[in-house]
Amino acid sequence: MRAYLYDNLDTDCREPHELNPSVPVSVDELKETGVLYWQLDLEPEKFRKQVDDICVERNYKNRDEITVSKAGLGDLFDQKIKTFFTEHLHEDEEIRAILDGSGYFDVRDKQDRWIRIEVEAGDLIVLPAGIYHRFTLDLNNYLKAMRLFKEDPVWTPLNRPCDENPHRKAYLETLVAH
């Protein structure tokens, strides 16, 4: 995982979009936005054990896998990529353990700037309920991830603006507390 401020240039969203000079964002700075990160061991048994331990600790009950690629999504690929990259929030945490490939999660910081989080195999991130974010593949156009859920597998994006949403308000209150 590598995180940095996004350059906001109007070019292909799958490009790195790193400011020049780069402005890195640390794991501690991500944590201030509510984003949590784990580096998982890529050895399959250790990986599974680490994920299982995180599931117990954070009360995740369900999981599935998604392959975000032209082959994995078929005719829905372009539509799904556009949906994923539209700024939105969820009323539940978004938890992803990256199994293969790479991509980017963009999240808003306290100043409403984009932070780009580059993820690859072995990365597990948790985006808190109520945070504005988006996702895209990188130029390799392939990512396989395990999705973890506290309840039934649900992925319902609420596009910005939705500042009156109670989960958004609760999220903003956690930022004020820090």
Side-chain angles (χ1 to χ4, degrees):
M1 186 280 299
R2 197 168 70 88
Y4 49 86
L5 290 184
Y6 186 86
D7 66 13
N8 291 314
L9 295 178
D10 189 23
T11 57
D12 188 338
C13 65
R14 298 170 305 139
E15 293 177 3
H17 284 278
E18 189 167 0
L19 289 171
N20 186 8
S22 181
V23 180
V25 175
S26 70
V27 170
D28 288 337
E29 290 171 299
L30 285 176
K31 199 171 189 176
E32 289 176 13
T33 69
V35 175
L36 304 177
Y37 171 75
W38 286 264
Q39 174 63 53
L40 304 176
D41 194 305
L42 291 175
E43 191 278 314
E45 282 302 310
K46 291 178 182 177
F47 184 94
R48 186 184 56 73
K49 169 96 170 75
Q50 288 174 305
V51 169
D52 289 347
D53 290 347
I54 292 167
C55 286
V56 169
E57 174 188 327
R58 299 193 54 83
N59 200 29
Y60 302 143
K61 298 175 187 163
N62 291 299
R63 63 182 80 177
D64 68 11
E65 291 182 8
I66 184 170
T67 300
V68 184
S69 68
K70 290 182 181 180
L73 296 174
D75 293 340
L76 298 175
F77 178 78
D78 291 329
Q79 175 191 342
K80 286 289 188 188
I81 292 298
K82 184 178 179 182
T83 299
F84 295 159
F85 197 67
T86 300
E87 186 174 6
H88 62 277
L89 62 79
H90 302 286
E91 293 185 339
D92 296 306
E93 291 180 343
E94 181 166 332
I95 309 100
R96 301 292 182 266
I98 309 306
L99 302 171
D100 194 20
S102 50
Y104 302 110
F105 285 91
D106 298 335
V107 299
R108 292 285 188 178
D109 70 5
K110 290 181 180 182
Q111 293 80 39
D112 209 34
R113 299 175 300 185
W114 282 117
I115 297 172
R116 174 147 278 193
I117 305 167
E118 181 179 21
V119 294
E120 61 187 8
D123 292 332
L124 185 147
I125 66 168
V126 176
L127 305 182
I131 191 172
Y132 284 128
H133 67 281
R134 60 191 183 190
F135 168 80
T136 190
L137 295 170
D138 61 15
L139 293 170
N140 294 315
N141 278 333
Y142 175 81
L143 180 132
K144 183 176 183 179
M146 178 185 297
R147 304 185 308 171
L148 305 171
F149 304 92
K150 288 193 174 189
E151 299 299 333
D152 293 330
V154 175
W155 188 86
T156 306
L158 303 173
N159 292 346
R160 190 172 190 177
C162 51
D163 293 330
E164 295 305 312
N165 179 284
H167 297 276
R168 176 68 181 165
K169 287 182 175 184
Y171 169 72
L172 292 174
E173 287 176 21
T174 66
L175 293 182
V176 172
H178 288 96

